[in-house]
Amino acid sequence: MLKLLNAEQTKLADQYTIENEPIPSLELMERASYTFVKTFSERFLDKKKTITIFCGKRNNGGDGLAIARLLHQDRYEFVDVVIVDFSDKSTPEFDANLIALQQTDVSIFYLKNPEELEGKQTDVIIDAIFGIGLSRELDQSYQQLIEKLNLLSGKKISVDIPSGMPSEGRLYGNVIFKADWVITFQRPKLNFLLPLSAPYIKEWKVVNIGLNEHFIENTASPYYWIWKKDISDHIKVRKSFDHKGTYGHNLIIAGDIDTMGAALLTAESSMKSGSGLTTACIPQSGITALNARLPEVMYLSRENLDNTDLDKYSSICIGPGLGKTEEAKAIIIHLISTYKKPIVFDADALNILAEDENLLSQIPLHSILTPHIKEFDRLFGEHHNCWDRIETAFRQAQKLQSYIVLKNRYTMIFTPTGLCYFNSSGSPAMAIGGMGDVLTGMISSFIAQDYPIENAIIIAVFLHGYIGEQLGQKMYVVPPTKLIKQIPYVIKDLKS
Ligand SMILES: NC(=O)C1=CN([C@@H]2O[C@H](COP(=O)(O)OP(=O)(O)OC[C@H]3O[C@@H](n4cnc5c(N)ncnc54)[C@H](O)[C@@H]3O)[C@@H](O)[C@H]2O)[C@@H](O)CC1
Ligand SMILES: [K+]
């Protein structure tokens, strides 16, 4: 698990590295710029393309000047630099890099006024105007410049972050450089992971510039980044004398006459994720489909639910395709009053909880709510931006002492202890009905198998996205049934 930092903490990490590696600030900038150029040159092989680098006068601009010199050294033939000269203040690192660049034959143009940009054409635009130091809305002249740059054709690449975007927190305005690609230093910036960045970033890549990892990992940040290694470390090895009882019993309460498929998807995903036994509590009309499609899964009739000892189930999930009927609500009330272990609530179960604050406040300790953005807002009120939603999610996860899995491109997992894990895996090919049902089955399956709740969620969320991402490389859209098929293979693969 990697810590994610805000701009302030990143600056402290820069500073710590400078003092303790030790490495002069200018050399750290050289390292960052070298790493940028190395990554850039792996993709932009044609050295005859025209490349214009727009540099602010602080350290992001300093990077830009160093990048110009290094590209030139790397035999890119047509590199020029535009210094955005709207203010007098420059940093010593900028000044030193300017002197170094003046020793080369890269041409340097001072832009005093956005109007002077008229008629500019170039194959590649590198944006090094503002980095993570941005602290307020762009002044008028910068806004005009960025609006003009956004209209230019040519590939647009940002150094560290698109100029005009803050590293975290609400956007100051909507004039932000629109980057095809961002090459960012050491960690993704928090705003990259939220839908607010979608109009401004097509793709981003993190490059390591050797900031002190020990310092970063000891920084008090609630944000973590889940990646592949975390998962393989956590998956349990199956041992010689294990039997089905070792892997728990998952009860799935889902489905209605016209949404039985949701129940089947959840049940199959539970079974394929490894729970020893899976029982589906579905309406009677679904028995034939269940028996025909999933002979491994057992059936519990809705009528018998009240008389069943729920404690025999090591995990319960409820919601996919359930409907918002009185019967569904009665089941939830029954569950909450009789089952004291965590329950996974999804889909219609969330919508039912959203309509009854009292019921929501009684869910068992460490339960899991898996809303998408709309369901989240139904539960906790309308939100108009991601950062307000994040604030609510932190607060509610602690108040309810539950986990909130806010589903998105980078799904966020909020914990009762005040942490937020961002999931790194996923693909737009997964945007299709039924995907959420699969995730619910996976989470409850891992809980049934006695993984600590937090690990169960993290493994399920990552694996779900990871398989979707792999299939998404070959498929325009990933049908949930295809994803489910891969689960046992991929778990095996990750463990070996
Ligand atoms: N040694 C270092 O400090 C390193 C810095 N690096 C680069 O430095 C960047 C951060 O540099 P800086 O902190 O100098 O900041 P920036 O280059 O991001 O510029 C921000 C500065 O501009 C001013 N400013 C802020 N908001 C403004 C606005 N709306 N309109 C006009 N002016 C505004 C402020 O003085 C602020 O400090 C990183 O993103 C990265 O690219 C990297 O080279 C790694 C090493
Ligand atoms: K930038």
Side-chain angles (χ1 to χ4, degrees):
M1 219 83 67
L2 291 176
K3 275 264 171 74
L4 295 174
L5 306 180
N6 62 28
E8 190 61 43
Q9 292 165 331
T10 306
K11 289 208 167 165
L12 292 174
D14 279 353
Q15 211 46 48
Y16 185 90
T17 307
I18 289 167
E19 284 162 18
N20 292 275
E21 189 170 319
I23 174 172
S25 177
L26 190 61
E27 235 169 88
L28 183 58
M29 182 173 279
E30 189 72 10
R31 193 151 85 192
S33 306
Y34 173 81
T35 316
F36 178 100
V37 168
K38 189 166 173 293
T39 308
F40 174 92
S41 61
E42 283 161 11
R43 182 174 291 194
F44 290 86
L45 303 174
D46 183 353
K47 306 224 163 165
K48 293 198 180 301
K49 292 269 186 226
T50 51
I51 302 174
T52 304
I53 307 178
F54 289 84
C55 300
K57 294 174 76 174
R58 278 41 175 254
N59 281 353
N60 195 250
D63 288 345
L65 298 176
I67 288 166
R69 173 171 39 81
L70 294 169
L71 284 173
H72 179 66
Q73 258 174 33
D74 207 11
R75 304 197 191 293
Y76 283 85
E77 289 180 35
F78 305 106
V79 179
D80 65 0
V81 162
V82 175
I83 292 179
V84 180
D85 200 14
F86 301 166
S87 105
D88 294 336
K89 284 182 246 156
S90 59
T91 60
E93 291 85 351
F94 173 93
D95 296 339
N97 270 305
L98 182 57
I99 292 170
L101 189 65
Q102 283 163 341
Q103 315 305 310
T104 71
D105 52 14
V106 171
S107 66
I108 302 173
F109 178 80
Y110 286 80
L111 187 82
K112 295 277 180 198
N113 172 335
E115 303 301 329
E116 294 168 19
L117 196 67
E118 235 42 77
K120 182 81 191 164
Q121 277 188 340
T122 179
D123 297 324
V124 181
I125 300 159
I126 296 183
D127 148 44
I129 304 170
F130 287 112
I132 59 166
L134 189 86
S135 54
R136 58 193 157 85
E137 189 176 7
L138 291 175
D139 300 345
Q140 205 60 36
S141 46
Y142 287 103
Q143 289 197 24
Q144 281 169 11
L145 170 65
I146 286 178
E147 276 173 339
K148 281 185 187 299
L149 291 179
N150 283 343
L151 292 175
L152 296 184
S153 57
K155 283 280 167 214
K156 302 190 180 73
I157 300 156
S158 287
V159 179
D160 208 18
I161 189 166
S163 294
M165 180 181 285
S167 165
E168 64 282 332
R170 283 160 169 254
L171 302 182
Y172 300 120
N174 56 8
V175 182
I176 293 171
F177 186 78
K178 290 189 176 168
D180 293 303
W181 196 26
V182 182
I183 299 176
T184 195
F185 301 139
Q186 205 73 22
R187 288 289 191 277
K189 311 300 179 253
L190 289 164
N191 272 344
F192 295 5
L193 310 179
L194 301 175
L196 59 77
S197 69
Y200 311 107
I201 301 179
K202 278 205 190 126
E203 196 191 341
W204 51 264
K205 182 178 169 74
V206 180
V207 293
N208 191 323
I209 62 165
L211 297 186
N212 189 293
E213 278 296 334
H214 184 70
F215 178 87
I216 295 176
E217 291 313 317
N218 284 307
T219 298
S221 162
Y223 299 106
Y224 288 84
W225 181 238
I226 307 169
W227 56 320
K228 194 168 159 187
K229 186 172 175 307
D230 301 319
I231 308 311
S232 29
D233 285 354
H234 281 132
I235 291 172
K236 295 190 225 173
V237 181
R238 295 203 160 203
K239 295 191 286 301
S240 186
F241 287 92
D242 287 354
H243 51 88
K244 65 185 179 208
T246 316
Y247 296 105
H249 192 168
N250 192 16
L251 175 66
I252 283 141
I253 307 173
D256 203 349
I257 298 174
D258 46 4
T259 49
M260 204 63 72
L264 298 179
L265 288 172
T266 313
E268 186 173 359
S269 126
S270 158
M271 186 256 289
K272 295 243 164 87
S273 301
S275 68
L277 295 168
T278 297
T279 292
C281 178
I282 55 175
Q284 204 164 9
S285 57
I287 300 181
T288 312
L290 181 71
N291 284 335
R293 258 201 84 93
L294 301 172
E296 303 89 344
V297 174
M298 292 174 290
Y299 167 72
L300 174 67
S301 81
R302 284 278 163 85
E303 293 71 35
N304 274 341
L305 187 62
D306 277 2
N307 314 318
T308 303
D309 172 18
L310 294 178
D311 280 335
K312 72 177 179 192
Y313 298 108
S314 32
S315 176
I316 297 182
C317 67
I318 179 159
L322 185 69
K324 275 175 60 188
T325 58
E326 279 307 310
E327 187 211 9
K329 183 165 181 184
I331 296 174
I332 293 182
I333 294 173
H334 173 66
L335 274 189
I336 289 180
S337 57
T338 49
Y339 191 72
K340 296 300 165 206
K341 287 182 267 183
I343 298 172
V344 184
F345 294 95
D346 184 30
D348 282 330
L350 296 172
N351 295 330
I352 290 170
L353 290 176
E355 285 172 7
D356 190 335
E357 212 175 309
N358 189 33
L359 202 55
L360 177 63
S361 70
Q362 292 171 38
I363 60 174
L365 214 62
H366 296 165
S367 281
I368 300 98
L369 307 170
T370 61
H372 51 59
I373 287 176
K374 275 196 183 147
E375 288 163 343
F376 183 92
D377 281 9
R378 268 181 227 135
L379 275 167
F380 303 121
E382 195 77 18
H383 291 80
H384 297 289
N385 85 61
C386 330
W387 282 96
D388 289 350
R389 207 171 274 117
I390 288 175
E391 204 185 302
T392 302
F394 271 124
R395 200 179 53 248
Q396 290 291 348
Q398 292 179 69
K399 183 173 152 202
L400 298 168
Q401 280 298 294
S402 289
Y403 293 86
I404 299 175
V405 179
L406 182 51
K407 293 183 282 196
N408 215 303
R409 167 64 185 86
Y410 301 101
T411 290
M412 286 178 255
I413 303 163
F414 295 88
T415 74
T417 52
L419 304 179
C420 170
Y421 298 100
F422 280 92
N423 180 41
S424 62
S425 63
S427 155
M430 297 171 74
I432 173 174
M435 267 306 168
D437 308 335
V438 177
L439 178 63
T440 298
M442 293 175 82
I443 296 176
S444 53
S445 178
F446 288 117
I447 295 174
Q449 293 168 64
D450 207 24
Y451 282 86
I453 305 280
E454 205 154 301
N455 288 0
I457 303 171
I458 289 172
I459 294 171
V461 168
F462 180 85
L463 265 182
H464 182 251
Y466 180 71
I467 300 170
E469 191 177 308
Q470 287 189 333
L471 293 174
Q473 283 164 13
K474 291 171 281 182
M475 304 174 93
Y476 179 68
V477 62
V478 177
T481 45
K482 290 268 186 261
L483 193 151
I484 292 173
K485 273 208 181 70
Q486 293 303 314
I487 299 172
Y489 297 104
V490 175
I491 298 180
K492 179 84 181 171
D493 223 40
L494 282 178
K495 198 58 210 175
S496 50

